[in-house]
Each structure stands twice: as C-alpha cells, then as structure tokens.
Amino acid sequence: MQTFFQYHSEQDPFRLFSIEHIITIAIIFVFCLFLFFLRRKLEKQGIRRVLRFFLLFLLLVFDVSHHIWLASENAWTLKDDLPLHLSDLAVLLAIVMLLTKSLGLFQFLFFAGLGSSIQAILTPDLGRFSFPHFQYVEFFISHGGVVLTCLFMVLAYQYRPTLRSLWMTVLIVNIYGVCVFFLNKWLGANYLYIMNKPKNASLLDFLGPWPWYLLSVEVIMIISFFLLYSPFWLKKKLEGS
C-alpha cells in the first residue's frame, strides 16, 4: 500500500504504449462503447440521474484525492499542480457541468475538454508513475471520466456541439493560452506546455522546436475539433438528404 501512494516511486517509469497503457486505453474505450449501447436506457430519468451523480462523484473524489495526496507528500507546488493544463481544467468543468447540466459549458467541454483528455490519455506525462501507482490510476480515471461525461451528455440529454461553438472554443482556448503564458512567466512554470515540451514522449516531439510547435499545436487543435464535430455534421447531412 505504501508503494501505491509513494511520491518518490521506486517503480519503473511510465512507458508510452506499454501493455499496461494499451489495456488502460482499451478499458476506457469499452466503457464508452458500453455507454453507447445503453443509450436507450439513458432515456429513463432515474437511470440518467444515478449515472450523472456517479460520474460527478467519481471525478470529484479522485480530483480532490489527488491534491490531498500531493499535499500529504509535501509535493504540491504552485509551479506544477494548479489545474491549469486544459485536460486538468476539463475535470473541474466536467464536475460543474454534471451539477448544472449547462449546455453552454458542454459546448466548450466537448471540444476543449474531450480533445485535451483524449490527447492526455494517448500521450500522458506521468514520468515515474506507472501502473499500479495511485497517480496512474487517478490520471486515467479523471481524464477517462471527462470523455465518458461528454459522451453521457450527448446520449442522455441529447446535447449537441455546433460549428459556432467550435470556433468560440478555439477563441477561448487561445485567450486562455495567452493568460497562462504570462502566469507561467511569473511562476516559472510550464502549464499548457507553452514554455517548452514535456520531458516525456508526446506529440509535441514531432512538431519542431519552440516556439514553432505552438503554431503546429494550433493547427492540430482546429483539425481535432473538426474531427470531433464531423459525426454530427455528417448526421445532419444524411438527415437533410
């Protein structure tokens, strides 16, 4: 148990696309499929309410536990542990969305939250925390929970992203990025990986040196948002014809 929570872990470091990582991705994917196949059941208000509060509880407990764990290990710092990475902020916004059922918040989270969480799941910056360390478990439950939450709102409440909300999200993320840049300068931090690339392998490794990879990230972000929107666009086209 001590090894499970030990901050200075003696486990092997996280390896991208290791067997454990692939199995974890597969489990999240299976839960998404399970939610999709149960979409008719989600029309019942009782089941919908239970699942909504279960997701809310799951995200809240693991997010709070993560910060308590860091504080108990004397490892929490302003420089590294504020929820300012887009995928970390998405966890907090997903909790608020589940509480309020806000359509406006969904419109933002569907693109920024879903896109950043999928990227985090595929190329996590976990360093020395490999399975079954608490940090590993918390990371994938939190980010996988955001993916499930967005899918849940689509299936249970028939919330839909729009083309307008896509471009509004692009604008908001860029304004947010500028604010985080100045906060990084003040704290000597690297939130959003604006100042330099993460130490572990990530998509940014293929996008050139700083600051040029920031332009590439902008293009990739817009493309990924359109990919997320494409099933709804295609559905509209098919219904129109």
Side-chain angles (χ1 to χ4, degrees):
M1 184 61 71
Q2 184 179 0
T3 304
F4 180 73
F5 286 106
Q6 191 174 20
Y7 182 76
H8 297 288
S9 175
E10 297 176 359
Q11 294 176 303
D12 293 332
F14 173 81
R15 290 185 296 110
L16 191 65
F17 300 128
S18 61
I19 295 296
E20 295 85 356
H21 186 203
I22 292 172
I23 290 174
T24 303
I25 294 172
I27 290 171
I28 294 171
F29 181 70
V30 167
F31 273 111
C32 290
L33 285 179
F34 183 71
L35 200 60
F36 178 77
F37 288 130
L38 284 181
R39 63 190 183 280
R40 299 302 179 196
K41 298 284 187 182
L42 295 177
E43 294 175 0
K44 298 179 181 179
Q45 187 174 355
I47 295 176
R48 192 166 57 190
R49 184 185 297 112
V50 168
L51 190 52
R52 180 165 67 91
F53 281 101
F54 172 76
L55 287 169
L56 191 157
F57 176 80
L58 191 72
L59 290 172
L60 183 61
V61 165
F62 273 91
D63 191 62
V64 171
S65 297
H66 174 241
H67 291 280
I68 291 175
W69 168 67
L70 286 173
S72 69
E73 295 286 323
N74 296 315
W76 196 98
T77 66
L78 285 171
K79 184 178 176 180
D80 296 315
D81 300 304
L82 291 172
L84 294 178
H85 285 298
L86 204 53
S87 59
D88 295 332
L89 180 63
V91 176
L92 299 180
L93 295 179
I95 292 169
V96 176
M97 180 178 69
L98 287 165
L99 273 173
T100 63
K101 296 185 287 188
S102 168
L103 177 59
L105 198 50
F106 166 82
Q107 298 282 359
F108 174 79
L109 263 179
F110 182 83
F111 295 111
L114 192 54
S116 62
S117 294
I118 290 173
Q119 171 64 26
I121 289 167
L122 292 177
T123 58
D125 184 17
L126 282 171
R128 64 184 177 277
F129 301 115
S130 58
F131 181 84
H133 195 277
F134 167 76
Q135 176 80 331
Y136 181 99
V137 174
E138 182 277 329
F139 181 92
F140 283 104
I141 287 180
S142 294
H143 293 89
V146 172
V147 174
L148 288 170
T149 295
C150 290
L151 181 60
F152 170 75
M153 299 306 286
V154 169
L155 298 174
Y157 292 95
Q158 287 75 53
Y159 284 5
R160 298 292 183 266
T162 64
L163 192 59
R164 180 178 181 274
S165 66
L166 185 158
W167 288 112
M168 282 298 298
T169 303
V170 171
L171 177 62
I172 292 170
V173 169
N174 277 279
I175 293 172
Y176 176 68
V178 171
C179 295
V180 171
F181 172 80
F182 288 107
L183 187 61
N184 281 338
K185 295 283 283 185
W186 180 47
L187 293 175
N190 189 30
Y191 293 112
L192 298 183
Y193 303 116
I194 292 175
M195 316 310 287
N196 49 68
K197 299 177 185 180
K199 296 178 182 178
N200 300 303
S202 75
L203 178 64
L204 300 183
D205 292 335
F206 303 97
L207 302 181
W210 187 92
W212 306 112
Y213 71 80
L214 297 176
L215 297 176
S216 301
V217 167
E218 181 80 11
V219 173
I220 290 171
M221 178 182 71
I222 294 172
I223 292 173
S224 66
F225 286 2
F226 271 102
L227 287 174
L228 290 171
Y229 179 67
S230 62
F232 301 94
W233 176 83
L234 183 62
K235 187 172 184 291
K236 282 183 181 181
K237 289 294 181 181
L238 291 174
E239 289 175 347
S241 61

